[in-house]
Amino acid sequence: MSLGIVILAAGKGTRMKSALPKVLHPLAGKPLLGHVLDTATSLKPDTIVVVYGHGGTTVQATFPDPNIQWVEQTQLLGTGHAVQQALPKLQTVDQILILYGDVPLINTDTLQQLIDRSITNTALGLITIKFADPTGYGRIVRDAVGNILRNVEQKDASIDELTINEINTGIMTAKRQHLGSWLNRINNNNAQGEFYLTDCIGLAVADGIKIISAKPKCTEEILGVNDRIQLGTLERYVQKKYAVELMHNGVTIMDPTRFDLRGTLQTGKDVSIDVNIIIEGNVVLGDNVSIGPNCLLRNCTIGANTQIYANSIIENSSIAESVRIGPFARIRPGTTIAELVHVGNFVEIKNSHIGIGSKVNHLTYIGDSEIGNAVNIGAGTITCNYDGAYKHKTTIGDNAFIGSNVALVAPVQIGVDATVGAGSVITQDTPDAKLILARSKQQVIEDWQRPKKSSKK
Amino acid sequence: MSLGIVILAAGKGTRMKSALPKVLHPLAGKPLLGHVLDTATSLKPDTIVVVYGHGGTTVQATFPDPNIQWVEQTQLLGTGHAVQQALPKLQTVDQILILYGDVPLINTDTLQQLIDRSITNTALGLITIKFADPTGYGRIVRDAVGNILRNVEQKDASIDELTINEINTGIMTAKRQHLGSWLNRINNNNAQGEFYLTDCIGLAVADGIKIISAKPKCTEEILGVNDRIQLGTLERYVQKKYAVELMHNGVTIMDPTRFDLRGTLQTGKDVSIDVNIIIEGNVVLGDNVSIGPNCLLRNCTIGANTQIYANSIIENSSIAESVRIGPFARIRPGTTIAELVHVGNFVEIKNSHIGIGSKVNHLTYIGDSEIGNAVNIGAGTITCNYDGAYKHKTTIGDNAFIGSNVALVAPVQIGVDATVGAGSVITQDTPDAKLILARSKQQVIEDWQRPKKSSKK
Amino acid sequence: MSLGIVILAAGKGTRMKSALPKVLHPLAGKPLLGHVLDTATSLKPDTIVVVYGHGGTTVQATFPDPNIQWVEQTQLLGTGHAVQQALPKLQTVDQILILYGDVPLINTDTLQQLIDRSITNTALGLITIKFADPTGYGRIVRDAVGNILRNVEQKDASIDELTINEINTGIMTAKRQHLGSWLNRINNNNAQGEFYLTDCIGLAVADGIKIISAKPKCTEEILGVNDRIQLGTLERYVQKKYAVELMHNGVTIMDPTRFDLRGTLQTGKDVSIDVNIIIEGNVVLGDNVSIGPNCLLRNCTIGANTQIYANSIIENSSIAESVRIGPFARIRPGTTIAELVHVGNFVEIKNSHIGIGSKVNHLTYIGDSEIGNAVNIGAGTITCNYDGAYKHKTTIGDNAFIGSNVALVAPVQIGVDATVGAGSVITQDTPDAKLILARSKQQVIEDWQRPKKSSKK
């Protein structure tokens, strides 16, 4: 039994008031359509067809997966019409599932159960749910013994039908041959003048096909995103869910309502995450890692027992075990930090390696550098890596001591065990184990007067 | 039909436990009384009278608007007495509306409708609301057919009257002549020994004057602030409302419960605002602006396509299009930043202009400076703008390259296309297109030993 | 009447998924068991016995109070067995109260009332509460007139008993002699094969001992912590409670859901606390102190009228009155800052004294220093306090002016009224009231060309 999935993603999304196609707006750091595609993929279908309209080329460019088939719906004539456009790509599948690019949180298990039961019963399968306030949704009309008769849209519903609180989510599965037959027969004689996919329900009943329904595990599974308020609601729902899952797995999160995960997070044992943290991309935190408040971690690995203090930012870098970083540190892409390193406040490190046990504690810029083990970098040290045209490398040997306010003009090498005096500008490579100075003589100017503010201005 | 508005603002606000008069405590960055004055002004009245008591001169000084009339209530004898003090200033108006300096969120539409209906019916108009728990509020007593008979205060209410859940908000409007007549007749024979404004209701009934009531759109409109918990509740209500309005207008706000707007915010299309942002004063964000987490923006304009990264602060400055600022940048008052500029981490800029495409990326202080286009400022550069008495200006020509750790001792001018070597202290103006150095020769000290920690301490 | 308190703290806490014993997990900055011990101590008992099991030595080491008696429960055979292990330490007390190391928020008043009533009635006293969903808790079985008959555990309850929604919290008090007698008689014939402390209830009834119950003031008092989700729930509950108490006392807290107090906070009048603040240890804030957003204060005292701007961190330091600190400042342990000092952005101060009215405004590191009054420290100044082996002291006299980008190589003294020129490296003590320079001559290199990016790469 082969499965084809159609994802309807052609809606204009006018209420988003955005130049970005609606299905590309991010939820937890991933486009809405990306969530649906991931769920679709998890069902192991033979074919996935995305029906696009508005902003189509941008949408395709965002998902360069060759396994996705793209169909353009040039005229927006309704959901039934949209699915019909996709059918030519689905001639080899037995069963079709219809999803929506703006309903991002539908769950794999919910769908798998719906598909399995539909196949077993040769039925049309629907996801339905009861809403206390069903206003605006299509209602599910059942007969006296509970069999589904049809779906009626809000605008076409009678007064009695408007009191029904079981609504149709639009998520549907059926045999390909059934669906094709129904879509050939639906019309647009309704308030909107559109071809409704949901009219298939009445046709199925007329054909004597059984209709089954399944419920999602939670309401959020079937919520659509039509404006940024709905997007924000789902964002907070997802974030709270992520936080609770992590806490369940043994992570301390100081405030699950102030936690944002926009990617994936792997955690060791006894990880502690303070308030207002943002995780982006793929982040791995080892055992006993603690992350202070207001930190931003993006695509990085943090080794066991490492502590990241408040207000630090780490991007595309790898931090080893038992390191201390921050507060107010920024580790930029391409950096590897070895065991036992200390990186302190107002320090920027970019595209560099810091060796075991080295210290870069204060007001320093390290760029394009290879720093050995047990090196001490004094406060205010700057690697001058840019000559106005090219970037150059600074290399510092093990156990070197760089005094404060030193400028290291790259390309330059500092020897093993070397000591560079405070305030020196180093432009030439230095030998091992020597003191290197570039310093003017201190002098007292005897007859100088400091400017004074004139009493009258 | 001319309108006079009386704002009662004489209450002590004891439960605020504050030296600041209650009506001056800020809500969303504006004093409580400021909110009420803005709403009052929006009704286009002929006269606004504020009745002040506690902290009067501070209150007046906060609102130097010559259109406000101020009346001191030296003895706090009740709301009826307070309004009576204001009447002499209102002899030329036909209709009077009474508002409260500590009920900040009453809505213009609600009031306009109340006024219009009161005038049409020559009625006394009241804002009333039903509370599940009316404890503490005056109850609205109606007759069998629903006509309002009187208001009864909690402390004077019978057991039956205490069960009434429609309460009087105190907001009232009436013809001046009616109100004057009633206020002459009220007394202080009640549990509090005060002249209640609300006793006018019973007198109006006795006089055969119709009484109408109107409801606010939401409870928060009529909530008063008596302590900081109530102030906090309204603060969060207002902030959530602002966030939802912005989202409705097409702004992405990552968490509407972590957004603070203490002033006004204008936004272009597709603006994105991350968590924990504070906006103060008047802020304008162009199309496609993105603001990273934990930023504070105060009185500034940010051009289209500009990105403000995490943990940045911008005050009283103007930022052009396609600029990148932060993370950890601070732009202080008087700064203008042109198109395509990059300002990086741990950089402070004050009262300066940065020309098109220039870069100030790391650990730098730029003060009182005029920086040309396409200038590169190296890491750790400092403009020495203060001589202990006066501030001086630094001017840097287009396309200049300032090496790292340079000190520019103002007043000083760096020529167009000039290059200043790393670590230089520049005290004199430099020519165009030359390399300028102030640097000591690097030397190796052969026989020096780095101090070692003695094994015994 | 002497009181003994038994605290059961031997549970494994498997669902915490932690190497740390459950009762040591922090709530509002204090271990769970610490909360219970503080409450126990507030009841002025003669003896406190903690029954420990898992992680026992770590638990003991965390609370080195000699007034606590420790008893190991080597086999986890149930709560009744645990209390029995403690009895030998309690032979001199009249009344015994049983608390739980993982039920941190039980209230002193609730317990005192329970104890008083139990003593007066020679009764067994229980804390019970009604839960809408009692699933998982032991149910309180009462007779037709409301007398408590027994407790039945979820797993041993009949279908009828499962509908009871009054649950037993496990907190219990009784005369020592009664409790000892009952514990000798309980058995482990139940679904869990454990000795239940709660079986004492049935025995008391059989003995004709009266059983009384008391309710906690709020549900959170009796909630236990079994996993990090429950820990997180209590954390937010406690934090909200702290915030509301502070607001009630006249502190403005911009968002009570973004406030974290992990210790104690004393506040003067009109203190204002912006969003996302963390307070740790013991912090004292004087009158009119304002704390900007995203600040972290740990063990510090802040004088009246001092303003701490956004994103600042202050640890183990003392700040005087009318000081301004931040934004982006870090004050590290051992620092005292006198009146009227300004500390600006990207400034780190460690183990130093800053005298009255001095200014350290930009990109500076001050370590191990004694700075006089009215000193101006230029941007980018570094005290070079570390020679690779030892830390040394920098002393700066009153009214000195340190130019920008200066390195002060400690040990070194700068004279009163001295001026140090920008960019100088100062290695020797300087005289009073003189200008001191260590600076190279500025020179123009005529024939130098700045590197250019080759058009082809």
Side-chain angles (χ1 to χ4, degrees), chain C residues 349-418:
Chain C
I349 300 179
K350 187 212 77 167
N351 190 34
S352 295
H353 172 77
I354 314 290
I356 299 169
S358 290
K359 293 178 186 168
V360 192
N361 275 333
H362 330 258
L363 292 147
T364 287
Y365 170 57
I366 300 292
D368 305 313
S369 299
E370 179 79 24
I371 294 181
N373 300 334
V375 170
N376 191 302
I377 304 284
T381 293
I382 305 288
T383 56
C384 313
N385 59 328
Y386 184 53
D387 63 9
Y390 295 102
K391 299 283 172 80
H392 300 285
K393 187 170 180 177
T394 299
T395 306
I396 301 179
D398 291 349
N399 200 35
F401 181 96
I402 310 298
S404 297
N405 250 1
V406 164
L408 300 166
V409 183
V412 69
Q413 297 198 30
I414 306 297
V416 169
D417 287 316

Side-chain angles (χ1 to χ4, degrees), chain C residues 176-193:
Chain C
R176 176 181 58 81
Q177 286 173 325
H178 288 167
L179 191 65
S181 159
W182 300 326
L183 289 175
N184 281 333
R185 287 184 273 155
I186 63 175
N187 62 54
N188 63 352
N189 301 331
N190 51 49
Q192 295 292 297

Side-chain angles (χ1 to χ4, degrees), chain C residues 161-172:
Chain C
E161 287 165 346
L162 285 174
T163 67
I164 297 170
N165 69 355
E166 181 181 10
I167 65 101
N168 182 23
T169 66
I171 295 169
M172 182 189 288

Side-chain angles (χ1 to χ4, degrees), chain A residues 245-252 265-273 283-291 301-305, chain C residues 16-19 228:
Chain A
E245 283 169 8
L246 287 161
M247 292 165 90
H248 185 77
N249 287 336
V251 175
T252 286
L265 176 60
Q266 288 181 53
T267 52
K269 206 168 181 178
D270 281 316
V271 165
S272 178
I273 293 177
V283 171
V284 179
L285 305 179
D287 291 350
N288 300 309
V289 165
S290 73
I291 311 289
T301 299
I302 312 282
N305 302 308
Chain C
M16 297 300 283
K17 301 184 180 174
S18 178
R228 304 211 198 203

Side-chain angles (χ1 to χ4, degrees), chain C residues 140-204:
Chain C
I140 293 294
V141 182
R142 292 179 184 262
D143 67 15
V145 294
N147 294 312
I148 292 174
L149 296 179
R150 63 193 186 97
N151 171 84
V152 61
E153 294 302 320
Q154 167 90 16
K155 293 177 182 172
D156 302 306
S158 69
I159 291 176
D160 274 2
E161 287 165 346
L162 285 174
T163 67
I164 297 170
N165 69 355
E166 181 181 10
I167 65 101
N168 182 23
T169 66
I171 295 169
M172 182 189 288
T173 185
K175 284 176 68 80
R176 176 181 58 81
Q177 286 173 325
H178 288 167
L179 191 65
S181 159
W182 300 326
L183 289 175
N184 281 333
R185 287 184 273 155
I186 63 175
N187 62 54
N188 63 352
N189 301 331
N190 51 49
Q192 295 292 297
E194 290 190 357
F195 293 89
Y196 291 157
L197 175 62
T198 48
D199 282 355
C200 292
I201 300 168
L203 293 168

Side-chain angles (χ1 to χ4, degrees), chain A residues 238-315:
Chain A
V238 171
Q239 293 304 343
K240 186 73 186 287
K241 186 162 154 278
Y242 288 165
V244 167
E245 283 169 8
L246 287 161
M247 292 165 90
H248 185 77
N249 287 336
V251 175
T252 286
I253 294 182
M254 292 308 293
D255 186 353
T257 69
R258 281 184 283 168
F259 172 80
D260 287 83
L261 172 55
R262 303 166 185 168
T264 67
L265 176 60
Q266 288 181 53
T267 52
K269 206 168 181 178
D270 281 316
V271 165
S272 178
I273 293 177
D274 211 325
V275 300
N276 216 33
I277 297 301
I278 298 175
I279 307 279
E280 297 187 342
N282 300 312
V283 171
V284 179
L285 305 179
D287 291 350
N288 300 309
V289 165
S290 73
I291 311 289
N294 313 316
C295 287
L296 170 57
L297 307 184
R298 182 182 291 139
N299 292 311
C300 59
T301 299
I302 312 282
N305 302 308
T306 285
Q307 296 184 286
I308 312 294
Y309 296 118
N311 304 325
S312 294
I313 299 179
I314 301 176
E315 294 173 85

Side-chain angles (χ1 to χ4, degrees), chain A residues 18-19 228 236 260 262 276 311 330 348 386 399 417-419 427-428 434-435 437 439-440 454, chain B residues 247 250 252 254 258 270 274 276 294 328 345-346 362 376 390 405 439-440 442-443 445-446 448 450:
Chain A
S18 178
R228 304 210 199 205
R236 295 337 300 170
D260 287 83
R262 303 166 185 168
N276 216 33
N311 304 325
R330 184 183 182 204
E348 173 188 2
Y386 184 52
N399 200 33
D417 286 317
T419 301
T427 56
Q428 304 154 45
K434 297 291 180 191
L435 172 64
L437 292 179
R439 188 183 281 176
S440 304
S454 59
Chain B
M247 292 165 91
T252 286
M254 293 309 293
R258 280 184 285 168
D270 280 317
D274 211 324
N276 216 32
N294 312 317
F328 305 107
N345 41 210
F346 317 123
H362 331 258
N376 192 301
Y390 295 102
N405 250 0
R439 189 183 281 176
S440 304
Q442 179 175 332
Q443 53 187 312
I445 313 298
E446 290 291 340
W448 182 85
R450 193 192 303 171

Side-chain angles (χ1 to χ4, degrees), chain C residues 42-265:
Chain C
S42 74
L43 294 166
K44 301 192 174 26
D46 291 78
T47 311
I48 295 177
V49 184
V50 178
V51 182
Y52 69 90
H54 180 76
T57 49
T58 318
V59 178
Q60 281 191 54
T62 306
F63 301 98
D65 180 346
N67 293 317
I68 303 171
Q69 309 240 27
W70 296 90
V71 171
E72 186 174 6
Q73 186 188 21
T74 48
Q75 288 179 286
L76 298 184
L77 303 178
T79 48
H81 175 257
V83 174
Q84 207 162 27
Q85 308 305 299
L87 286 184
K89 304 272 189 185
L90 294 161
Q91 292 310 308
T92 63
V93 305
D94 302 310
Q95 184 78 12
I96 290 176
L97 171 70
I98 295 152
L99 300 177
Y100 298 84
D102 59 359
V103 181
L105 298 181
I106 186 68
N107 182 276
T108 298
D109 290 348
T110 302
L111 294 174
Q112 190 65 60
Q113 287 171 27
L114 182 74
I115 292 166
D116 291 348
R117 287 179 50 216
S118 297
I119 289 171
T120 306
N121 293 281
T122 324
L124 168 62
L126 304 175
I127 304 284
T128 72
I129 189 170
K130 289 188 180 176
F131 275 177
D133 177 8
T135 309
Y137 291 90
R139 309 300 203 283
I140 293 294
V141 182
R142 292 179 184 262
D143 67 15
V145 294
N147 294 312
I148 292 174
L149 296 179
R150 63 193 186 97
N151 171 84
V152 61
E153 294 302 320
Q154 167 90 16
K155 293 177 182 172
D156 302 306
S158 69
I159 291 176
D160 274 2
E161 287 165 346
L162 285 174
T163 67
I164 297 170
N165 69 355
E166 181 181 10
I167 65 101
N168 182 23
T169 66
I171 295 169
M172 182 189 288
T173 185
K175 284 176 68 80
R176 176 181 58 81
Q177 286 173 325
H178 288 167
L179 191 65
S181 159
W182 300 326
L183 289 175
N184 281 333
R185 287 184 273 155
I186 63 175
N187 62 54
N188 63 352
N189 301 331
N190 51 49
Q192 295 292 297
E194 290 190 357
F195 293 89
Y196 291 157
L197 175 62
T198 48
D199 282 355
C200 292
I201 300 168
L203 293 168
V205 171
D207 287 359
I209 300 295
K210 188 170 181 178
I211 301 183
I212 62 161
S213 67
K215 288 182 175 48
K217 287 176 199 157
C218 64
T219 303
E220 287 79 6
E221 273 194 53
I222 58 84
L223 291 184
V225 171
N226 294 301
D227 59 31
R228 304 211 198 203
I229 297 165
Q230 293 173 337
L231 181 62
T233 301
L234 287 193
E235 180 74 33
R236 295 338 299 171
Y237 168 78
V238 170
Q239 294 304 342
K240 186 72 185 289
K241 186 162 156 275
Y242 287 164
V244 167
E245 283 169 7
L246 287 161
M247 293 166 91
H248 186 77
N249 289 336
V251 175
T252 286
I253 295 182
M254 291 310 292
D255 187 353
T257 68
R258 281 183 284 168
F259 172 81
D260 287 84
L261 171 55
R262 304 165 184 168
T264 67
L265 175 61

